[in-house]
Amino acid sequence: MAENYSIENIACRGGRISYLHLGQGSRTLVVIPGLNVRSVLNNAEYIALAYKEYVKHDYSVYVIDRKITDAPAYQISDLAEDALSVVNALKLEHIHLLGHSQGGMIVQNMVLLAPDLADRMVLSATTSHLSVTSRSVMENWVKLAKSGDCSALYQSFEKDLYTSAYASMIHASLMKDASAVTEDELRRFIPATESMYSFDTSALLRNIHIPVFAIGGALDRVFEADLMRELAQKTKGKLYLYEGGSHCAIDEERDFHSRIIEFLS
């Protein structure tokens, strides 16, 4: 059963951003999710259930969604500025940051823009730059999105993001989500994906001076394990890769959050 949670929204940089708030602990965890076609808060109950373990460890959890925008040149740095504006508006201090996939790119930029923002940072299934493989995966997503074939796009997500066993378990749910995608959501997904093409913090990671934990799957098909190893090496951080784990080890591995809580503690 999920913990009690609320969904709020806040004025931010010419728009509004929604966020899920869970728990009333003395410690603060700010979560930046990965790229999605639809708002992650459509699955608020699942999110609250996934993060209830943190509440038991005296955390107040904030899961920050993306601002809805049609800006054609919106970049990762813009997304980081948006998230920072929410953190500042809520007057959150000495936070712990968790970013998954594209969210991991965003939290890197957040810490580089505001070095005193966070005490610790967790980077889940992410990278400091794209490889040839990850660029190819994303270009295929963009191609499918431009074609308007949501079913094919979500089938690609199944293959790229999950192990085959887990994908078969959630297939019906994914196809249901695909059928609910609007034209506007699909249109906005394209520049959101393309925003990662030029992302590169690899030369800046030496400027991150807080403890970092890079965690993901050894068989990640989006951001290969070597990209995670590079992140850990350049940030002098801790690394854990699940043998046989996928890009969405955060969803598949039962002790994923327990490992993060151990690091944060």
Side-chain angles (χ1 to χ4, degrees), residues 112 128-129 200-207 230 234:
L112 290 167
S128 63
H129 61 91
D200 191 344
T201 58
S202 52
L204 302 173
L205 294 177
R206 65 180 182 274
N207 297 323
E230 179 184 338
K234 289 188 174 182

Side-chain angles (χ1 to χ4, degrees), residues 131-166:
S131 66
V132 172
T133 297
S134 49
R135 175 74 180 239
S136 176
V137 168
M138 290 174 193
E139 287 178 343
N140 183 54
W141 292 349
V142 168
K143 177 183 176 181
L144 292 171
K146 286 181 175 179
S147 76
D149 191 342
C150 285
S151 178
L153 176 61
Y154 273 67
Q155 287 173 26
S156 181
F157 291 160
E158 283 188 14
K159 175 177 66 71
D160 297 331
L161 303 180
Y162 304 102
T163 61
S164 57
Y166 193 81

